[in-house]
Amino acid sequence: MDSCQIVNTSLIRNILVPFDNSKHAVRAFGHALDLARKYHSSIILITVTDEDQATQWLNDTPSRQHGVEKSRNSEFKRIFKILETQAAKFQIRFEAMILESSTIAESIISFATKKNIDYIVMGTHGNGMVKEMMLGRVSTNIALNAHCPVVLVK
């Protein structure tokens, strides 16, 4: 008699949060935490840095930019620990990583596809440590081309 099938409530298992430490990215992480609590999902947080900057050399020595990039990555790792602690309070599985690529939007889309991401939550633009990370053009590109739903957070 019951012709309705039960809807699978675990449609959101893996949430991706592209992160640049801007206020929009921090808000997006908060939104992802809320979703992960409701759906018992895991959160994967990624930061994308430009590999060209990280590999520049001048006169057979690493350039100053290489040192800045290493320092920036250390700062992201410190922030990742803080965010991991917040996720742990709600028993949310959390993973964070830094990707090196000069094509930010394409790298995020590719990562989401390879990792079977069900949902992307990201800031609309950023002014954080990696200004190029979340400009409107990046979030728009991801929203239009990702294989899964994308939520843009202001």
Side-chain angles (χ1 to χ4, degrees), residues 74-147:
S74 295
E75 178 65 10
F76 275 118
K77 288 176 184 176
R78 184 189 68 76
I79 293 165
F80 292 168
K81 294 251 186 246
I82 294 167
L83 300 178
E84 182 176 23
T85 300
Q86 290 179 352
K89 288 179 185 176
F90 303 107
Q91 289 135 6
I92 296 169
R93 289 177 314 279
F94 178 87
E95 182 181 353
M97 62 192 65
I98 298 171
L99 302 178
E100 293 184 355
S101 175
S102 58
T103 56
I104 296 167
E106 292 81 1
S107 296
I108 293 169
I109 292 167
S110 176
F111 181 88
T113 302
K114 288 178 186 171
K115 293 290 187 174
N116 296 317
I117 297 298
D118 302 301
Y119 213 71
I120 299 173
V121 180
M122 65 184 296
T124 54
H125 64 283
N127 296 315
M129 291 186 280
V130 183
K131 291 182 182 177
E132 300 82 14
M133 172 67 177
M134 305 282 202
L135 296 175
R137 62 184 169 80
V138 172
S139 57
T140 301
N141 187 344
I142 292 168
L144 293 173
N145 295 299
H147 73 284

Side-chain angles (χ1 to χ4, degrees), residues 15 17 29 32-33 36 41-45 87 92-95:
I15 300 170
V17 181
F29 178 74
L33 272 179
S41 308
S42 63
I43 294 176
I44 301 173
L45 190 123
I92 296 169
R93 289 177 314 279
F94 178 87
E95 182 181 353

Side-chain angles (χ1 to χ4, degrees), residues 9-15 35 39-42 118-119:
T9 58
S10 63
L11 294 174
I12 303 174
R13 294 175 310 277
N14 298 305
I15 300 170
L35 285 170
Y39 291 98
H40 306 287
S41 308
S42 63
D118 302 301
Y119 213 71

Side-chain angles (χ1 to χ4, degrees), residues 38-62:
K38 289 177 181 169
Y39 291 98
H40 306 287
S41 308
S42 63
I43 294 176
I44 301 173
L45 190 123
I46 60 169
T47 294
V48 181
T49 61
D50 186 340
E51 66 184 348
D52 293 337
Q53 291 178 3
T55 58
Q56 287 181 351
W57 285 65
L58 296 173
N59 299 327
D60 296 325
T61 60

